[in-house]
């Protein structure tokens, strides 16, 4: 019983310490797109923000610059399929599926841009798909069709 209480107390203490760790704030420079570099698992160090592009008018333009960089590195033989960026205080996460944004580096991600059929990025509402065909389901045995 004593070990259980000690373990619970240590877990609670660890949770309090984790909640008190300093949150990494994204730069809020107007129109500047950054690449975010996190230290590797087990390494000590701070999160770095490397300037990628200036004079980006909106988040979508920054996402395009980050995607451009991601594809360029993959073509050179790289294996990193996810890129993290920052634009005016928001974090951008780019991978094969699209672009997500979050207010915190470890926070909840929200879908921002989707991939079209040919791999380009687009606002999700702009992607047009053919309407689904009506499916006619036959009646169950013993029932009549309406």
């Amino acid at each position: 019983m004593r070990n259980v209480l000690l373990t619970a107390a240590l877990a609670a203490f660890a949770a309090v310490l984790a909640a008190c760790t300093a949150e990494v704030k994204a730069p809020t420079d107007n129109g500047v797109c950054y690449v975010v570099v996190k230290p590797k698992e087990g390494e000590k160090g701070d999160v770095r923000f490397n300037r990628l592009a200036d004079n980006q008018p909106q988040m979508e333009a920054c996402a395009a610059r980050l995607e451009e960089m991601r594809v360029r590195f993959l073509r050179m033989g790289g294996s990193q399929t996810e890129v993290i960026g920052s634009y005016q205080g928001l974090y951008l996460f780019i991978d094969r599926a699209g672009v997500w944004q979050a207010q915190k580096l470890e926070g909840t991600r929200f879908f921002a841009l989707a991939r079209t059929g040919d791999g380009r990025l687009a606002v999700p509402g702009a992607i047009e798909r053919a309407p689904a065909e009506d499916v006619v389901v036959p009646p169950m045995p013993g029932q009549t069709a309406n």
Side-chain angles (χ1 to χ4, degrees), residues 27 32-38 47-53 62 65-67 69-70 73 80 82-87 91-92:
V32 180
C33 183
Y34 292 93
V35 176
V36 178
V37 181
K38 292 171 41 173
V47 174
R48 291 189 327 251
F49 295 91
N50 298 327
R51 188 179 288 236
L52 177 65
C62 179
R65 299 294 79 74
L66 290 163
E67 170 67 4
M69 184 193 80
R70 183 185 84 85
F73 281 140
Q80 186 174 351
E82 182 178 302
V83 172
I84 303 172
S86 170
Y87 181 75
Y91 288 100
L92 304 175

Side-chain angles (χ1 to χ4, degrees), residues 1-131:
M1 181 68 176
R2 182 176 174 166
N3 287 340
V4 172
L5 289 175
L6 182 60
T7 304
L10 286 174
F13 182 69
V16 169
L17 283 180
C20 293
T21 56
E23 170 185 320
V24 179
K25 297 271 188 193
T28 57
D29 300 341
N30 196 14
V32 180
C33 183
Y34 292 93
V35 176
V36 178
V37 181
K38 292 171 41 173
K40 292 182 180 167
E41 194 80 25
E43 285 185 6
K44 289 188 176 183
D46 294 331
V47 174
R48 291 189 327 251
F49 295 91
N50 298 327
R51 188 179 288 236
L52 177 65
D54 293 327
N55 301 322
Q56 299 302 301
Q58 56 203 11
M59 183 268 302
E60 290 84 357
C62 179
R65 299 294 79 74
L66 290 163
E67 170 67 4
E68 199 174 72
M69 184 193 80
R70 183 185 84 85
V71 170
R72 197 174 301 143
F73 281 140
L74 287 173
R75 286 183 181 157
M76 292 188 321
S79 60
Q80 186 174 351
T81 58
E82 182 178 302
V83 172
I84 303 172
S86 170
Y87 181 75
Q88 293 184 191
L90 284 177
Y91 288 100
L92 304 175
F93 303 88
I94 293 111
D95 62 12
R96 282 185 247 167
V99 178
W100 286 262
Q101 66 184 18
Q103 293 181 347
K104 297 178 183 179
L105 188 57
E106 302 298 332
T108 304
R109 298 177 184 184
F110 297 96
F111 196 60
L113 297 171
R115 294 236 181 247
T116 60
D118 59 0
R120 292 178 295 160
L121 294 171
V123 177
I127 298 173
E128 292 185 19
R129 295 193 172 121

